[in-house]
Amino acid sequence: IMGGRDLLAATFSLLCLLAYLRYLSVRRRPWLLLALLCYGLAVFCKPVAAPLPALLLLLDYRHTGAWRRCLWWAKAPFLVVTLLAVVLNTMTADPTVTATVPWSLRLLCVPWLVWHWARDFLLLAAPVPFHPWPAGEASMHLALLGLAGLGVFVALGIVAWRRRWESLWQALLACALGFAPAVLVVLEGKRSFMTGDRYGYFPLLALFAVVPCALIPLRGKPRIVGGVLLAGWMLASSVVAHGAVEVWRDGTTVWSRVLEVYPDEHEALVNRGSAYARTGRFDAAWRDYRRALEQRPRDRMLLGNVARLHLDRERPDEALVYLERYLAVGPEDVATYLGLGYAASQAGRHADALRWYREAERLEPGSPEVRAGRRLAMLAEGRRRLAANADDVEALMVLARLA
């Protein structure tokens, strides 16, 4: 199953909530420390757990009945852990990958993204793990639609507040806090996909609470009818969720589902090709990579993937072609030269391999990997020359020095 970090984040988030509820009951600090530990593990697994401190504050309100009696001081360590997670996430981000979607567009589309997740969830839509960012006028239309949906959500919360339907407005607030990490999509400039999976599933727990809470103010037959409809909806959602398990079985099933909806999406083709390559289905991987190359022949990450694929297929000559293209479209680095040297050696072009290893040594003198690769290439080249001419004195001297 894909998404091991998702499962860990969800598990530690629930453990955090359980430990904090126990702390509210007994007021013993070990339970608070346990809740803090579980929260740290959850947020470092995935930043989707970031709204938990606000949800704990809402639990305080439910327990004490007044905001002024909430344990505000107890949330300070949680906020410190959140800041550490944000700093770590920023430091480990890949600085070489540039944004593919303007930040202004991302910010406008966040409300639509939230509305999209809620709509699919409530209407039991078939899951699509990722959605590409809309382009052109469609982005503005979707942004306006998202703002309209957000307005409906806020209006419902205001009505619940004014009519003192506490359970409903608290459930709506919890849901809004759960959707807060959607703003992190704005920071993910490296992706051309809206990463709705990692920021959308957490608030679904709160959405499960919104509908039952909406039934509390009702009386008599409306409540009974609403309860029956809710039970039917929950049963149907369970069936849909069970069907989604197959979609998330592995990388090939996830990206195949995306390609069913968006047949020519470049990143989906690249990711499914990589998933095929990891499982040894090289022909299928090459078909996806070839389609992606037709769309973006200068995509550096794709060129590197194709080169690795040809090395796995034991076609070093073809790997050399794509490695040279990879080097031409981006900055030079030691790993690329090492790859070129290895591919050239596998292709029997030992003189070329030595040339690439010298380039790698120029960038990183004294590297043990470069020295080992160059040594092997010199040995192979010396043996090749001796096989062609047994009296090659220079080759004999090279082999004697390396022996």
Side-chain angles (χ1 to χ4, degrees):
I1 300 292
M2 284 189 66
R5 291 189 301 157
D6 306 330
L7 297 175
L8 285 174
T11 300
F12 287 124
S13 296
L14 294 175
L15 290 175
C16 172
L17 291 174
L18 291 173
Y20 193 78
L21 286 171
R22 181 62 178 169
Y23 168 72
L24 290 177
S25 299
V26 300
R27 296 301 174 99
R28 293 183 179 176
R29 292 199 174 181
W31 288 105
L32 180 61
L33 293 175
L34 179 60
L36 179 62
L37 175 63
C38 291
Y39 171 68
L41 294 172
V43 79
F44 279 105
C45 284
K46 226 165 189 182
V48 70
L52 267 178
L55 293 176
L56 298 182
L57 193 62
L58 189 58
L59 287 178
D60 287 348
Y61 177 79
R62 292 282 296 178
H63 189 76
T64 62
W67 291 111
R68 65 179 180 275
R69 287 186 287 180
C70 293
L71 304 178
W72 297 88
W73 60 269
K75 307 305 176 293
F78 290 87
L79 295 179
V80 171
V81 172
T82 303
L83 290 176
L84 289 175
V86 170
V87 170
L88 182 63
N89 189 53
T90 303
M91 291 175 61
T92 56
D94 188 353
T96 64
V97 185
T98 56
T100 54
V101 179
W103 280 36
S104 57
L105 174 58
R106 291 173 178 270
L107 189 59
L108 283 173
C109 283
V110 164
W112 174 83
L113 193 56
V114 172
W115 178 251
H116 178 81
W117 297 329
R119 182 204 64 190
D120 284 356
F121 175 70
L122 294 173
L123 298 182
L124 305 176
V128 179
F130 297 89
H131 297 273
W133 287 98
E137 294 183 359
S139 62
M140 187 57 66
H141 295 160
L142 292 178
L144 293 175
L145 179 62
L147 289 173
L150 188 61
V152 172
F153 188 87
V154 172
L156 182 59
I158 292 174
V159 170
W161 174 273
R162 291 177 66 88
R163 290 181 173 270
R164 300 187 182 277
W165 295 340
E166 289 203 359
S167 296
L168 179 55
W169 71 256
Q170 289 171 20
L172 289 169
L173 180 59
C175 184
L177 292 172
F179 279 120
V183 180
L184 295 177
V185 176
V186 179
L187 303 178
E188 292 211 341
K190 63 182 182 178
R191 298 189 64 90
S192 61
F193 270 83
M194 298 184 291
T195 50
D197 73 310
R198 68 187 65 184
Y199 301 128
Y201 51 77
F202 190 81
L204 299 188
L205 296 175
L207 272 177
F208 266 116
V210 170
V211 180
C213 289
L215 298 177
I216 292 176
L218 301 178
R219 295 291 184 271
K221 289 185 179 180
R223 176 182 284 190
I224 296 174
V225 173
V228 172
L229 292 176
L230 175 61
W233 171 76
M234 294 183 69
L235 178 61
S237 66
S238 300
V239 174
V240 172
H242 184 269
V245 171
E246 184 62 24
V247 173
W248 287 96
R249 180 168 51 85
D250 55 37
T252 59
T253 55
V254 166
W255 294 107
S256 294
R257 172 60 183 153
V258 174
L259 286 168
E260 288 177 9
V261 183
Y262 308 104
D264 297 317
E265 189 56 44
H266 176 80
E267 190 170 339
L269 287 169
V270 174
N271 288 334
R272 189 174 70 172
S274 299
Y276 280 140
R278 286 193 297 270
T279 56
R281 300 165 66 180
F282 299 134
D283 291 336
W286 174 235
R287 284 195 296 270
D288 281 345
Y289 283 157
R290 187 167 50 199
R291 287 175 59 192
L293 282 168
E294 292 172 358
Q295 298 173 3
R296 300 182 192 173
R298 293 177 60 83
D299 185 328
R300 198 163 190 257
M301 183 185 73
L302 174 59
L303 292 171
N305 289 351
V306 174
R308 283 192 293 271
L309 174 66
H310 286 309
L311 285 174
D312 291 337
R313 300 174 79 190
E314 299 182 354
R315 297 180 180 179
D317 289 309
E318 296 181 30
L320 277 171
V321 173
Y322 287 100
L323 281 171
E324 290 173 353
R325 288 172 59 182
Y326 178 89
L327 185 63
V329 299
E332 59 180 1
D333 58 82
V334 174
T336 305
Y337 285 127
L338 284 173
L340 283 162
Y342 175 77
S345 295
Q346 294 296 308
R349 296 160 55 178
H350 304 296
D352 290 338
L354 284 171
R355 176 167 60 89
W356 295 123
Y357 284 129
R358 290 191 194 100
E359 291 295 328
E361 194 171 28
R362 174 177 60 83
L363 294 179
E364 193 174 318
S367 169
E369 293 181 350
V370 175
R371 285 202 304 267
R374 186 178 177 186
R375 180 185 178 88
L376 291 174
M378 291 175 68
L379 282 170
E381 177 64 7
R383 289 167 182 163
R384 184 194 66 78
R385 289 173 60 176
L386 280 179
N389 180 8
D391 298 326
D392 192 327
V393 177
E394 184 179 352
L396 286 170
M397 292 177 64
V398 169
L399 291 175
R401 188 170 69 251
L402 294 175

